[in-house]
Amino acid sequence: MSLLRLEPRGQASKTMVYATPLLAVALTLLSGFILFLAMGFDPLKALYAFFVAPVTSVRGVGELVVKATPLVLCAVGLAIGFRANVWNIGAEGQLTLGAITGGGLALAFYGEGGWWLLPLMVVGGAAGGALWAAVPAFLRLRFNASEILTSLMLNYVALLLLNYMVHGPYRDPDGFAFPESRLFEADAVLPVLWAGTRVHLGALFALAAVAGGWLLIARTFVGFQIKVIGLTPAAAGYAGFDQKRIVWLTLLLSGALAGIAGMGEVAGPIGQVTAGISPGYGYTAIIVAFLGRLHPVGILLAALLMALSFIGGEAAQIAMGLPKAITGVFQGMLLFFLLASDVLIRYRVRFGARRAVA
């Protein structure tokens, strides 16, 4: 009788480390095909509307870059922390705080801006995100509280704070009581880099984060410490590496990058502070980080794919009347198949019964 079984590998397969994300994408597309068929839609047309049609125009490619920008910024910071076993799940809240603080500076200096305002907003956004990330860092090191839980719960606190600000101090006095701030003046808006699209200066911030993240991990002693602490904490302790310092560094860095992403949203495509800054970029960035194998270049490619799921979901709603939730379904399936496929890194599939040892 033929049996399907998993056989441990002698060592982790480097090939499968990079092949399993591709396998996860293929399985997600196959599952999407079956899902659309079950829903009564033409699966080929639905997949075309979801993954191809959105990038057949210059405007569509521009929107892909716009959506990928905050994903890259958040995911690079998260990946650096994940390498050190620092599990920041709060990028969504840190992005929101960056939008609140960066956008708050735009409103505070409304009518008085100059060339200095945008750099100040970047610093303010980074500071807001880092400050929010400092809370789980302190709680972990002082009370041994799980940063997974504390950073996750702070996401909801940040959203409540944002709602308070747009209904109160930030609300446009001439906005007929709508929960949004006034539109930012020109000095507080990120310049557009590609005419005819909404691609803004934040895209260069994202590329800088990719380059800086690679340099930090691959070319610095701090990066070496991060990798050692993540792989062998005991060895890091024997080597005298300061694990508390790394916890602070990775959480503050990831918070700052997420904060810059939030500032980029309100100063970029949105142009004001509203209650709907993010469709879930901070959560999706977790998928992006793992799909990109915690490598900055891989994260850049994964962010483009996940950005396509955002704009593809919107395009498919318009073109075929697909439900809004389909975007979350595809992102969830991708994460599920990625985690399931990762077993192939340390195990190989074998057919046939295991031979008995005499």
Side-chain angles (χ1 to χ4, degrees), residues 56-195:
T56 54
S57 66
V58 170
R59 178 178 174 81
V61 174
E63 287 302 300
L64 182 71
V65 176
V66 169
K67 296 289 187 183
T69 295
L71 292 176
V72 171
L73 285 166
C74 291
V76 168
L78 293 179
I80 292 172
F82 293 166
R83 281 178 173 267
N85 287 332
V86 178
W87 304 104
N88 179 13
I89 312 298
E92 185 74 7
Q94 292 145 24
L95 180 150
T96 301
L97 258 291
I100 292 173
T101 53
L105 289 169
L107 298 173
F109 293 101
Y110 189 84
E112 304 174 10
W115 64 266
W116 48 268
L117 183 54
L118 268 177
L120 182 63
M121 291 170 62
V122 173
V123 173
L131 179 64
W132 211 243
V135 177
F138 172 77
L139 293 175
R140 168 171 166 169
L141 296 177
R142 180 66 177 83
F143 301 105
N144 198 30
S146 170
E147 72 275 14
I148 296 174
L149 297 177
T150 54
S151 61
L152 176 62
M153 290 188 290
L154 283 171
N155 290 340
Y156 303 103
V157 178
L159 289 176
L160 291 172
L161 179 59
L162 174 63
N163 275 310
Y164 166 75
M165 298 303 287
V166 297
H167 283 88
Y170 284 8
R171 188 169 63 186
D172 184 359
D174 301 319
F176 303 101
F178 285 102
E180 59 188 24
S181 75
R182 66 177 71 194
L183 292 172
F184 295 170
E185 59 181 343
D187 288 332
V189 175
L190 292 170
V192 173
L193 300 180
W194 188 359

Side-chain angles (χ1 to χ4, degrees), residues 208-235:
V210 169
W214 178 81
L215 286 172
L216 175 66
I217 293 298
R219 292 291 185 268
T220 68
F221 183 60
V222 172
F224 175 72
Q225 289 180 312
I226 288 172
K227 289 185 285 188
V228 172
I229 289 173
L231 293 172
T232 54

